[in-house]
Amino acid sequence: MIPRRILPFLAAPPAMAQAGPRRGILRYATLGLDTADPHRHTGSIAVQQAYVEALTSIGPDGGVEPFLAERFSLSGDGLIATFHLRPGVMFHDGSVMDAAAVRANIERVRDRIRGGWLAGAMRLITAIETPDAGTVTLRLSQPYAPLLTSLSELWIVSPRSPGWDGTITRPAGTGPFLFGQWQPNLRLQAPANPHYWRPGQPQLEAVHLDLRGDVDKGIALRAGDLHVADVAQDVATQLRADPRFVVQGLRDTTWYFLAFNNRRPRPPFDNPLVRRALGHALDKPGFMRFVAGDAGVVTNQMVAPGNLYFDQALHEADPYRTPDLDQARALLREAGVDPGRTAIEMVSWQEPYAQAAVQMVRRLGFRVTHTPLDDIGAQRRLGQYDWDICCMASGPRADVFLRWVRLMSDGPNPVLWGGIQDPELDGMIRAAAAEPALEPRRAKYAQAWARVAEKHYFLVLGHAANQIAWRREVRGFTTGFTWSPHRADGGIAATSLG
């Protein structure tokens, strides 16, 4: 047996804010909120983390930091993780955040939530031990490298939250703001938590989170209707030149891709020659200039240069780095496909970049029907698998595995990638996630990526950092590694309006 060497992770003391009255309502707009149940979300961390917190948090460099756990340790063989909880933390409903509550949350996600991106991690937990009210120990059936980062998105809420036994309708978390009045697709009004565990925080009376997807955020920022918002790259460039604003990118990047229907592909798009032809038709440099100007990065991987898992050799071997229409047409002839007689059903969100991809595909002569939809409509249509290609983007993630897991046969929200069903790929991803040593883990992920490339499940176009802008009267706010507005190292709890 491998000896268990305990590696401690200690929390830095929280920054102490000046005590004083809470003032101002921060108007904040980035992502939406798809559910009130924090354990069932598919990407709502830009809203949910205003009112819920986790045992761990992701720091600005992508590292793991203690949060509701004031310290934690991981055995050298990766099979035992122990968390020592912060004393005196209360849920919004007045109950105590203790080991029993943490255990109940982990069990709920493990045993009752199906298809979430934590599902793989939860299945590996064979025992949850609570030797006292302040200690939780997890025992795993095998090492799982992303455990600590994955737990940063397992929100701890009171087991007394309404709907606990089904779908939570009013979560009682531990965060700096309360789950207040929620109007889906419109707004969430989140008043300050008067009993937050960090002294002097939050400094605001409330945060009003704008959930509308059709707002021109650049105009709203300039008019003062919003204080903080994500903005398109062209708007970010304009706001950087305006002394009234600060603009920063998220530390991790969003990646853009063209995916095929892999669950029920229709001829001829089940033919690798046709998929390769479309790859050669894509002008990836032009697409990324359209998306992000000079800040766009062309690559063929789920991570950008500088990321721990980026492979330079694979990047340089990308056969689709630049468009080659002659090669695309030759492949179509070899496949016996006449693009002028072939229709393509393309689905996307209501984003301008999708139309750029449409024009690139049409250069080959295909008849493209493009259906841009809002988030709910796109999810529904993609789940019907009655389309041929989709052009989408996927934002920052706390760990690279949280990107890989969505390519697995039973992964969460697989529709963006065409619902891949590949047991061999599943095994490769699981092997990488189970590898405790970094370099062997990198090699295993590279092997999995080689299979994705071989099968042409999707084609990566490139990366760009999402841009967040805020007005100068917003004090103390910074962006994080992911979309999270509240983290162990800062965010809206430490923000004030001056």
Side-chain angles (χ1 to χ4, degrees):
M1 176 179 289
I2 301 173
R4 288 177 179 149
R5 179 171 55 90
I6 301 300
L7 305 174
F9 297 79
L10 302 178
M16 298 292 288
Q18 291 282 334
R22 298 184 178 93
R23 294 184 298 178
I25 296 174
L26 184 74
R27 295 185 292 277
Y28 190 101
T30 54
L31 304 185
L33 180 64
D34 55 0
T35 175
D37 190 332
H39 295 156
R40 298 182 186 276
H41 80 100
T42 58
S44 303
I45 62 173
V47 174
Q48 291 200 100
Q49 282 188 276
Y51 48 87
V52 294
E53 296 171 321
L55 294 175
T56 63
S57 178
I58 304 302
D61 62 353
V64 185
E65 300 179 350
F67 207 7
L68 289 179
E70 65 178 356
R71 67 185 190 277
F72 52 82
S73 59
L74 186 65
S75 62
D77 59 6
L79 295 176
I80 300 176
T82 301
F83 301 87
H84 299 276
L85 307 181
R86 294 186 184 277
V89 178
M90 308 292 291
F91 290 114
H92 298 158
D93 62 9
S95 59
V96 177
M97 192 283 297
D98 60 8
V102 171
R103 175 174 181 160
N105 277 262
I106 295 173
E107 289 177 337
R108 184 176 191 263
V109 174
R110 182 189 65 181
D111 302 335
R112 294 159 56 187
I113 305 299
R114 296 289 177 260
W117 49 40
L118 295 174
M122 296 299 100
R123 282 195 297 268
L124 301 178
I125 298 175
T126 59
I128 307 169
E129 300 170 0
T130 53
D132 56 60
T135 307
V136 177
T137 297
L138 305 181
R139 295 184 180 273
L140 307 182
S141 60
Q142 66 184 56
Y144 182 71
L147 176 67
L148 297 177
T149 47
S150 295
L151 288 177
S152 73
E153 296 188 0
L154 197 162
W155 322 126
I156 305 302
V157 298
S158 169
R160 302 194 317 196
S161 298
W164 175 268
D165 292 331
T167 298
I168 294 173
T169 57
R170 193 167 187 82
T174 61
F177 298 92
L178 310 177
F179 185 88
Q181 182 182 1
W182 178 38
Q183 296 172 277
N185 300 317
L186 188 60
R187 67 176 62 88
L188 173 68
Q189 297 177 348
N193 174 9
H195 305 294
Y196 187 52
W197 55 270
R198 275 188 165 168
Q201 292 185 5
Q203 300 181 48
L204 299 161
E205 298 172 49
V207 174
H208 286 184
L209 297 129
D210 192 322
L211 309 178
R212 295 172 295 172
D214 58 352
V215 175
D216 188 320
K217 295 175 183 177
I219 292 176
L221 282 166
R222 291 185 178 95
D225 296 330
L226 290 174
H227 292 113
V228 181
D230 66 307
V231 293
Q233 296 284 347
D234 58 335
V235 177
T237 299
Q238 297 168 12
L239 295 182
R240 281 193 178 92
D242 189 325
R244 295 177 297 167
F245 300 97
V246 177
V247 182
Q248 286 183 3
L250 300 182
R251 271 55 168 190
D252 198 18
T253 53
T254 288
W255 61 295
Y256 297 80
F257 55 91
L258 186 86
F260 296 95
N261 181 346
N262 297 300
R263 186 74 58 93
R264 291 195 294 270
R266 300 186 292 197
F269 303 103
D270 56 347
N271 187 332
L273 294 175
V274 176
R275 296 188 177 202
R276 288 170 53 197
L278 289 174
H280 285 296
L282 295 172
D283 182 355
K284 293 168 65 167
F287 183 94
M288 292 312 302
R289 280 195 302 271
F290 181 85
V291 169
D294 293 338
V297 176
V298 174
T299 189
N300 58 347
Q301 296 167 65
M302 285 192 292
V303 296
N307 188 289
L308 191 62
Y309 294 96
F310 184 78
D311 188 311
Q312 185 65 32
L314 179 63
H315 170 78
E316 293 174 355
D318 181 5
Y320 309 120
R321 291 179 71 178
T322 56
D324 188 339
L325 294 180
D326 290 339
Q327 179 66 14
R329 294 185 179 105
L331 288 166
L332 291 176
R333 286 193 297 272
E334 184 179 349
V337 172
D338 178 357
R341 300 169 61 88
T342 306
I344 295 180
E345 288 284 339
M346 175 173 164
V347 178
S348 75
W349 287 311
Q350 295 168 338
E351 295 286 351
Y353 63 74
Q355 189 58 35
V358 170
Q359 297 306 319
M360 293 172 189
V361 172
R362 281 179 174 157
R363 291 188 301 179
L364 290 177
F366 285 106
R367 296 181 287 113
V368 182
T369 299
H370 176 209
T371 305
L373 298 165
D374 63 16
D375 186 56
I376 294 175
Q379 296 284 345
R380 183 181 300 115
R381 175 67 189 278
L382 290 171
Q384 294 171 0
Y385 295 105
D386 61 350
W387 47 274
D388 300 307
I389 60 175
C390 70
C391 184
M392 294 291 185
S394 183
R397 293 288 176 261
D399 188 277
V400 71
F401 176 73
L402 297 179
R403 292 185 169 176
W404 278 103
V405 70
R406 300 170 85 171
L407 310 186
M408 298 178 73
S409 299
D410 60 350
N413 197 26
V415 294
L416 302 188
W417 294 268
I420 298 169
Q421 300 287 282
D422 185 341
E424 185 172 341
L425 177 62
D426 295 342
M428 290 177 170
I429 296 172
R430 290 193 184 99
E435 174 55 62
L438 175 60
E439 288 307 318
R441 185 163 69 249
R442 282 167 48 93
K444 285 179 166 57
Y445 275 133
Q447 291 171 358
W449 191 255
R451 182 165 181 84
V452 170
E454 173 196 354
K455 296 294 185 180
H456 281 78
Y457 289 131
F458 55 88
L459 300 163
V460 179
L461 295 160
H463 285 251
N466 294 90
Q467 301 295 309
I468 309 295
W470 59 92
R471 297 180 62 86
R472 289 280 180 186
E473 59 264 33
V474 176
R475 308 289 176 80
F477 181 80
T478 58
T479 59
F481 189 75
T482 69
W483 286 101
S484 173
H486 169 58
R487 313 170 301 277
D489 69 300
I492 56 177
T495 295
S496 63
L497 290 174

